[in-house]
Amino acid sequence: MTALRAHRRGGPEVLVVERAPVPVAAAGEVLVEVRAAAITFDELTWDETWTRDGADRTPIIPSHEVSGVVAETGSGVTDFAPGDEVYGLIDFERDGAAAEFVAVPAADVAAKPSTASHAVAAALPLAGLTALQALVDHAAVRPGEAVLVLGGAGGVGALTVQLAAGLGARVTATVRSDARQLLSGFGAQRVIDVRTEAFDDSGPYDVVIDTVGGETLKRSFGVLRRGGRLITLSAPPPEGKADEYGVSATFFIVTPNRDQLGELATLVDGGRLRVEIAATFPLGQGREAFESGRRPGRRPGKTVIIVGR
């Protein structure tokens, strides 16, 4: 098969398109003929991309969000059959979907949203599961609560805004782009462009979802009401800050979840969740797809590699 691979650790410059063995579906797995694979620009900086249990696992295949068609099923798989359209999130210590085929545990995929293209479906799993798990599993957002989404125009941020509004929250989002109208359409009651306005003067909020990190994460403690919840997706919160402000602070890494993938697909098919795509690239330009993350003025949404028809 054709695949995008890297034989040594590095950035986009180490990625090459080449021939590679077709993976085999082990027990409990499905072999997916890939139609589209979404990328996360930071994944080339993650230790999980390059090692497993401390051991080097190169050559690696990136892109951990997949949409495609089941080609084969491993032993013990009874809920999928060849020809089924599926989408899902691939564990970060496994080879990804920037290839013509990928083997995935059947428990980590679900039926693709029937109304969405494979490109749109591929852009949903990581961002959608992250947003859903942040809001529901970790923040337990309730109707009427004030929620601030930091980085609302990003792949995760845009879905977090929509899901928070769907939960009945009063949503404020920050942007560093001309995405005000987009996020207002997604249900944000207020959009703060941090190029001209500091978010520090807003609030107080019951919940802050931070997708930005760095100094933004440190400043976010100050806009929470006492007893509020900070969920950070970029890095663990600074030690002692939560106690200083009388809030809780949680860092988590998204995990595959078939039931939640099913929830997200239902929302998409019901017209209640919109997935933004910033750009698409053919598999042969996979390196360029990763390089595009460094370009200024990117559109909101995910970057997707188109693999099959």
Side-chain angles (χ1 to χ4, degrees):
M1 69 176 182
T2 300
L4 179 68
R5 296 207 295 179
H7 292 261
R8 60 182 175 86
R9 186 164 186 163
E13 72 281 353
V14 302
L15 296 171
V16 293
V17 177
E18 61 185 11
R19 301 296 289 175
V22 175
V24 176
E29 296 182 349
V30 292
L31 180 67
V32 177
E33 185 174 355
V34 179
R35 296 288 189 261
I39 68 176
T40 301
F41 296 116
D42 287 346
E43 67 184 270
L44 298 181
T45 69
W46 300 341
D47 289 339
E48 294 88 348
T49 296
W50 305 98
T51 62
R52 182 185 295 111
D53 298 327
D56 182 277
R57 66 176 196 87
T58 55
I60 62 95
I61 298 174
S63 304
H64 293 273
E65 298 171 273
V66 63
S67 183
V69 178
V70 174
E72 296 177 6
T73 58
S75 61
V77 176
T78 59
D79 39 6
F80 293 111
D84 288 346
E85 293 190 321
V86 296
Y87 85 120
L89 176 64
I90 302 166
D91 188 88
F92 301 130
E93 291 185 337
R94 297 177 64 99
D95 276 341
E100 291 179 313
F101 293 92
V102 64
V104 189
D108 295 348
V109 298
K112 181 184 81 68
S114 60
T115 60
S117 67
H118 283 289
V120 168
L124 178 59
L126 190 148
L129 287 174
T130 300
L132 191 61
Q133 290 171 15
L135 291 166
V136 176
D137 296 348
H138 297 285
V141 171
R142 298 182 293 272
E145 289 194 308
V147 174
L148 173 64
V149 180
L150 296 167
V156 174
L159 294 181
T160 303
V161 168
Q162 294 177 72
L163 290 172
L167 291 169
R170 295 178 287 114
V171 183
T172 299
T174 68
V175 296
R176 189 182 292 275
S177 64
D178 299 321
R180 184 183 301 274
Q181 186 173 354
L182 177 70
L183 292 185
S184 295
F186 284 168
Q189 296 181 9
R190 181 181 180 189
V191 179
I192 300 172
D193 187 339
V194 295
R195 297 174 299 181
T196 58
E197 180 184 1
F199 72 85
D200 311 66
D201 299 327
S202 66
Y205 299 98
D206 300 293
V207 174
V208 172
I209 308 293
D210 169 50
T211 74
V212 179
E215 285 301 314
T216 297
L217 169 59
K218 294 177 183 177
R219 290 161 54 199
S220 64
F221 285 89
V223 300
L224 278 165
R225 67 175 79 253
R226 291 192 70 82
R229 293 97 74 198
L230 169 65
I231 311 298
T232 174
L233 313 178
S234 55
E239 190 173 347
K241 276 279 190 181
D243 290 339
E244 177 185 346
Y245 284 88
V247 301
S248 65
T250 302
F251 167 73
F252 80 99
I253 297 174
V254 64
T255 55
N257 185 304
R258 181 193 288 182
D259 290 341
Q260 291 179 332
L261 285 170
E263 290 181 45
L264 293 168
T266 297
L267 290 171
V268 170
D269 286 338
R272 291 174 287 165
L273 191 63
R274 195 169 117 200
V275 181
E276 291 294 310
I277 294 179
T280 61
F281 293 81
L283 179 59
Q285 295 178 14
R287 175 174 169 176
E288 289 88 338
F290 274 89
E291 290 173 337
S292 71
R294 299 169 176 171
R295 297 174 188 166
R298 290 183 62 253
R299 292 178 52 199
K302 295 283 289 187
T303 295
V304 179
I305 295 174
I306 305 300
V307 180
R309 59 185 183 278

